[in-house]
Amino acid sequence: MEHKNFKNIDKVTYGRGSFSQLGQTIEPIRQTHNRYFVYIVDQYFKGKDLANRLQNKPEDLVYFIDVDPYEPTTEQVDSLRDEIISKKGVPSGVIGIGGGSIMDIAKALSLMLTNEGSSTLYQGLNLVKKPGIYHLGVPTISGTGAEVSMTAVLTGPEKKLGLKCDWTVFNQVILDPELIASVPRDWWFYTGMDTYIHCIESENGIRNNAFSLAYGEQSLKLCREVYLGDKAGQTSENDDKLMVASLMGGLSLTYSEVGVCHALSYGLSKIHGTRHCYANCVIFQHLGDIYPQGHREFMRMIDKHGISLPQHLSKDWDDATLTAMATVSINLPFMWHHAFGDDWQKKVNLDYIKGLFKRL
Ligand SMILES: [Fe+2]
């Protein structure tokens, strides 16, 4: 098995109120390139306090982007890139402020501002030809690990797949736990469970190792405090922890791999448009035989926070739909390989995956 050579984030600022250092953080980049910056901000913040604290300059372009209910698409990134280039040429850098989808758009945009053609050409591993421009991520929701991952997940006409290469990774992230305080309770749960599931899947598979386990164990410890501990709940102290848990969960899976839940989740999202974190929760509730310990703990968290997940979704799915979902999932062989080992193909085929989807 080849050993991964992971590109980490260049710089990280962490702490309450650290968002106020955004302006000074990007100043040297402005001076080097002597060009404007592009801000990609979640639409949610339009008209809110955060929108007045962007520290942007008059020449900068600020886009408020609605990522609900869909995840970012190749078309969305392409047209945004074309618009930016035609308006003002290549910027000094891109700043993404929002959840996982905004992180993905900022990362993809950074690459697509220097690489020609449609982003569909670059969906996959190391297909990007030139380094992107400077990009900085400010997560306002914690869990997906998008702030640290070397992939920018986009849904294209044919596949839901990341632009994955060293250049995808952020040059800088600012982790300010104050920013995640306004996350609605349901999403606080779903996105945190994405982190939790990253760690469970990372640990339970053949790519697990001491390096990924060290991050995964610490992330799990923080998740347990946030969702199961004596002081569980959406508090500022827990927001401080969740933000670090998300980062470390992301690092854990980067040095290992995700597994069955994520492979299924991509199939569910691609065919039905289900948001990533929510899709994971909808699926993980049915994976007790595959991840028994993690599943038990997950169900306790569901219980403790009174979260209700949909049941009997599959009764509306005909065979063609199930086949389409399973086809997306089986095309993530590295996840199945990690989860079930070298002879995974003896167990996993379209029918097996369709069987898993029928549990939903
Ligand atoms: Fe995930």
Side-chain angles (χ1 to χ4, degrees):
M1 193 153 36
E2 196 182 312
H3 299 286
K4 291 188 179 187
N5 190 6
F6 175 62
K7 168 75 171 61
N8 212 326
I9 311 163
D10 295 339
K11 301 183 98 174
V12 180
T13 308
Y14 169 76
R16 297 205 149 250
S18 58
F19 181 65
S20 64
Q21 290 173 210
L22 172 62
Q24 71 188 65
T25 305
I26 61 172
E27 194 52 37
I29 311 296
R30 272 190 203 278
Q31 299 205 344
T32 305
H33 297 280
N34 199 22
R35 299 189 72 92
Y36 71 106
F37 262 85
V38 173
Y39 283 71
I40 306 294
V41 187
D42 192 317
Q43 172 80 24
Y44 171 84
F45 293 108
K46 193 163 190 182
K48 299 221 165 62
D49 171 53
L50 184 79
N52 301 320
R53 299 198 288 128
L54 297 178
Q55 303 151 66
N56 54 312
K57 298 221 164 144
E59 65 267 28
D60 295 343
L61 288 177
V62 179
Y63 287 94
F64 288 95
I65 293 193
D66 190 4
V67 287
D68 215 52
Y70 301 108
E71 306 215 333
T73 62
T74 48
E75 200 196 329
Q76 185 179 19
V77 169
D78 293 349
S79 58
L80 193 56
R81 182 265 318 267
D82 294 345
E83 188 185 318
I84 290 168
I85 297 276
S86 72
K87 263 189 185 161
K88 305 191 73 149
V90 179
S92 293
V94 177
I95 297 163
I97 304 172
S101 296
I102 293 285
M103 297 294 106
D104 284 337
I105 294 173
K107 288 191 282 189
L109 191 59
S110 148
L111 296 168
M112 294 313 299
L113 281 160
T114 55
N115 286 275
E116 281 112 58
S118 167
S119 50
T120 53
L121 297 171
Y122 306 111
Q123 284 179 287
L125 178 63
N126 291 332
L127 300 177
V128 178
K129 297 195 172 65
K130 298 176 201 162
I133 64 167
Y134 176 91
H135 49 307
L136 182 155
V138 184
T140 60
I141 186 161
S142 276
T144 64
E147 64 275 21
V148 69
S149 85
M150 60 184 297
T151 182
V153 182
L154 298 180
T155 303
E158 276 154 46
K159 44 195 168 184
K160 180 182 163 157
L161 195 60
L163 279 55
K164 190 170 183 184
C165 68
D166 285 357
W167 300 315
T168 311
V169 183
F170 279 115
N171 298 104
Q172 167 90 50
V173 296
I174 296 180
L175 302 176
D176 183 345
E178 272 178 13
L179 301 183
I180 65 171
S182 61
V183 174
R185 189 184 146 75
D186 283 4
W187 283 95
W188 166 80
F189 188 84
Y190 305 141
T191 56
M193 287 307 105
D194 192 18
T195 286
Y196 179 79
I197 295 165
H198 290 158
C199 298
I200 297 298
E201 294 191 309
S202 164
E203 277 189 9
N204 290 281
I206 58 168
R207 276 194 173 272
N208 183 33
N209 57 68
F211 201 111
S212 62
L213 190 63
Y215 285 121
E217 285 290 291
Q218 188 60 39
S219 177
L220 280 175
K221 177 174 172 280
L222 292 166
C223 285
R224 285 174 185 131
E225 288 170 20
V226 172
Y227 293 99
L228 284 177
D230 297 341
K231 294 180 185 165
Q234 214 175 352
T235 64
S236 59
E237 198 184 316
N238 284 338
D239 287 345
D240 291 356
K241 293 176 180 175
L242 189 57
M243 201 147 223
V244 177
S246 172
L247 185 87
M248 294 207 164
L251 287 167
S252 177
L253 78 86
T254 302
Y255 288 96
S256 175
E257 191 51 77
V258 286
V260 177
C261 186
H262 272 72
L264 297 175
S265 175
Y266 277 65
L268 181 62
S269 292
K270 172 70 182 138
I271 304 304
H272 299 281
T274 316
R275 297 292 296 274
H276 176 73
C277 302
Y278 181 63
N280 281 341
C281 290
V282 170
I283 294 162
F284 200 70
Q285 62 176 331
H286 299 291
L287 300 183
D289 53 338
I290 300 173
Y291 301 109
Q293 248 186 319
H295 176 263
R296 262 197 306 279
E297 199 165 52
F298 173 80
M299 297 312 285
R300 275 175 57 212
M301 296 186 202
I302 291 271
D303 217 40
K304 185 168 176 94
H305 297 284
I307 301 291
S308 75
L309 293 169
Q311 308 295 327
H312 311 302
L313 292 173
S314 63
K315 71 177 185 337
D316 298 325
W317 300 338
D318 59 16
D319 192 60
T321 305
L322 285 163
T323 303
M325 295 165 74
T327 304
V328 174
S329 298
I330 207 164
N331 282 322
L332 298 160
F334 43 94
M335 297 183 192
W336 297 106
H337 181 214
H338 169 63
F340 293 131
D342 287 334
D343 55 355
W344 65 275
Q345 278 159 313
K346 284 191 186 143
K347 177 172 187 154
V348 180
N349 53 35
L350 276 186
D351 282 333
Y352 172 78
I353 298 177
K354 281 158 78 173
L356 293 178
F357 277 126
K358 281 183 196 161
R359 296 179 181 184
L360 270 56

